[in-house]
Amino acid sequence: MASTTSRPLSRRRLLQGGAALAAGLPAAAMLGAGARAQTREAVKLTLPWIANGSNYWPMVGKKLGYFSSRGVDVEVARGFGSVAAAQAVANKQFDFGVVFAGGTILAAARGLPLVTLATIYYDAMMGTALLQTSPIKAPKDLEGKKLGIVPTSAEAPFWPAYAAAAGIDASKVQLVQVDSKVIERVLIDKQVDAITAIGSSSLPVMVAQGVTPRFDLWSKVGVELYAAQIVTRQEVLEQKPKLCQAMVDAILESYAFTLREPKKAIDEFVALVPEVGLTKGGRENAELSQGLAQLMTLRPEAIDHTLGWTDMGKLGPMFDLVMKYAAPKDATRPDPQKFATNQFVGKVNLTKPEWEAVKKNTADYAKLLG
């Protein structure tokens, strides 16, 4: 399939173009440009967490003009976890959000009117992290071992589901509750034999400390949740479908840029958030987070269909997982037909050679996933 997105203009070309307008165009043309700028719709977008290598792309897309070219003046804000981000969108603090599916499903189960417009990462990377030298080679080897876990973490509610699916007798695993600030450290110091974790968060921390970990994805045994998704409220979908289309296109084009140009994209990120480059290991951490996240896009949904495509058939089991292990007792199972739509995806995609390049660029990161 041919790529349908235009290549981004460099910052120099954008500045040169602006200078040419100011110097040479007639007043009427300049007035028209100003009028168009004034008609851009102000939109607030929340990330799921602080900007990092796995979620920064809307910021870069704003800089490269992907939003403004579609008539959108976007404000990108950090988030405080996907559950909070989903609630903030539902409560009209933000118009759109990039939210992990678990947070959106929980919000929908509580009756909040959210809808998913596109899926970007197809695995939340819940799993078990181990040291490279660990004698634990199969899930059942966790029996008789110490497993570090942060009780409030995103993956913690699903440990029982994983144990059951992987044939682990959970009663034989000693759970050690750990603070989120030191969860990786207790594994590195061998105070525990393994930890539960979100791979895109914990693996970069361990690598930055000179440790090469192994990571066992829980999705291998069916404990699977989608990750980053573009969400909005049902009323926005119904009242402003053109805005929804513009936002999906701009966000997906922003992400596609990072897939095609991973190193240039990180350069742009460091320019926008200088402390990333100034912090020891900051850039390397961002590159690793990006690479791991991009691995989660290399799925049939995106490659065989289109970037952003959601497999509606997979939503039911995900709903069941969240309802059984994470939702409050008074929650109501969401309706898959109201929860997500594919009507806005398809305009932004990668060519087959570009997908092959992504596979090549992420091959080293894939080795961490055993």
Side-chain angles (χ1 to χ4, degrees):
M1 182 182 293
S3 174
T4 57
T5 58
S6 58
R7 296 298 189 210
L9 292 173
S10 68
R11 185 171 182 270
R12 176 176 295 178
R13 287 179 63 196
L14 284 171
L15 291 174
Q16 288 173 341
L21 281 173
L25 286 182
M30 290 296 293
L31 179 60
R36 285 194 298 273
Q38 291 175 6
T39 59
R40 290 177 190 158
E41 182 161 1
V43 174
K44 297 175 68 175
L45 170 73
T46 180
L47 301 178
W49 195 241
I50 58 173
N52 58 46
S54 67
N55 65 29
Y56 71 91
W57 16 270
M59 299 169 58
V60 171
K62 177 180 179 179
K63 180 181 177 182
L64 296 176
Y66 297 154
F67 292 90
S68 60
S69 67
R70 293 175 168 90
V72 176
D73 180 14
V74 69
E75 176 187 334
V76 183
R78 65 154 293 175
F80 295 87
S82 283
V83 172
Q87 292 175 341
V89 174
N91 293 335
K92 302 183 179 182
Q93 294 171 260
F94 295 91
D95 309 291
F96 295 85
V98 175
V99 184
F100 275 41
T104 311
I105 293 170
L106 278 173
R110 293 187 174 103
L112 299 182
L114 295 178
V115 60
T116 298
L117 305 179
T119 299
I120 297 169
Y121 301 148
Y122 296 99
D123 192 325
M125 287 194 75
M126 298 186 294
T128 309
L130 310 109
L131 298 178
Q132 193 67 239
T133 56
S134 173
I136 299 172
K137 303 300 181 184
K140 198 166 180 62
D141 294 341
L142 286 169
E143 294 179 4
K145 302 294 193 299
K146 293 182 179 180
L147 180 66
I149 188 169
V150 178
T152 56
S153 64
E155 81 283 351
F158 305 105
W159 155 249
Y162 171 68
I168 302 168
D169 185 343
S171 67
K172 296 180 180 179
V173 180
Q174 182 182 347
L175 294 183
V176 180
Q177 295 188 6
V178 181
D179 187 275
S180 62
K181 296 178 181 178
V182 296
I183 184 67
E184 296 86 10
R185 190 75 249 171
V186 297
L187 175 58
I188 293 171
D189 292 342
K190 299 183 179 180
Q191 298 177 42
V192 296
D193 301 290
I195 59 173
T196 70
I198 299 296
S200 57
S201 297
S202 288
L203 293 183
V205 173
M206 297 179 69
V207 171
Q209 297 183 54
V211 176
T212 302
R214 280 191 288 122
F215 196 77
D216 187 18
L217 287 170
W218 291 354
S219 58
K220 291 180 180 178
V221 295
V223 181
E224 181 180 21
L225 288 175
Y226 279 160
Q229 297 182 308
I230 303 170
V231 304
T232 189
R233 294 182 300 281
Q234 190 68 40
E235 67 182 65
V236 177
L237 170 62
E238 294 171 355
Q239 298 173 12
K240 298 183 177 182
K242 290 183 179 179
L243 176 61
C244 291
Q245 186 69 71
M247 288 296 292
V248 170
D249 290 346
I251 294 172
L252 291 183
E253 188 171 10
S254 302
Y255 182 56
F257 172 70
T258 73
L259 290 169
R260 295 189 182 106
E261 303 285 356
K263 293 189 179 300
K264 288 183 181 179
I266 293 293
D267 287 342
E268 296 284 5
F269 179 41
V270 172
L272 287 167
V273 187
E275 52 265 38
V276 173
L278 296 174
T279 304
K280 183 179 179 181
R283 183 186 176 95
E284 292 76 11
N285 185 302
E287 289 176 342
L288 179 53
S289 294
Q290 174 176 267
L292 290 169
Q294 290 183 353
L295 277 171
M296 301 303 106
T297 303
L298 290 171
R299 294 291 190 273
E301 288 95 326
I303 297 173
D304 297 343
H305 293 272
T306 186
L307 197 65
W309 194 79
T310 302
D311 186 341
M312 301 299 179
K314 288 187 176 182
L315 294 181
M318 293 181 193
F319 291 174
D320 294 340
L321 185 67
V322 172
M323 295 303 295
K324 182 174 182 178
Y325 293 100
K329 293 182 179 180
D330 60 348
T332 302
R333 189 179 188 275
D335 180 352
Q337 298 305 314
K338 295 181 180 180
F339 180 83
T341 177
N342 282 317
Q343 73 181 87
F344 299 107
V345 301
K347 291 187 176 182
V348 180
N349 203 14
L350 272 63
T351 63
K352 185 175 181 180
E354 286 173 337
W355 281 121
E356 290 301 321
V358 175
K359 291 180 183 178
K360 181 178 179 180
N361 292 336
T362 57
D364 287 341
Y365 305 118
K367 296 175 183 177
L368 295 173
L369 304 183

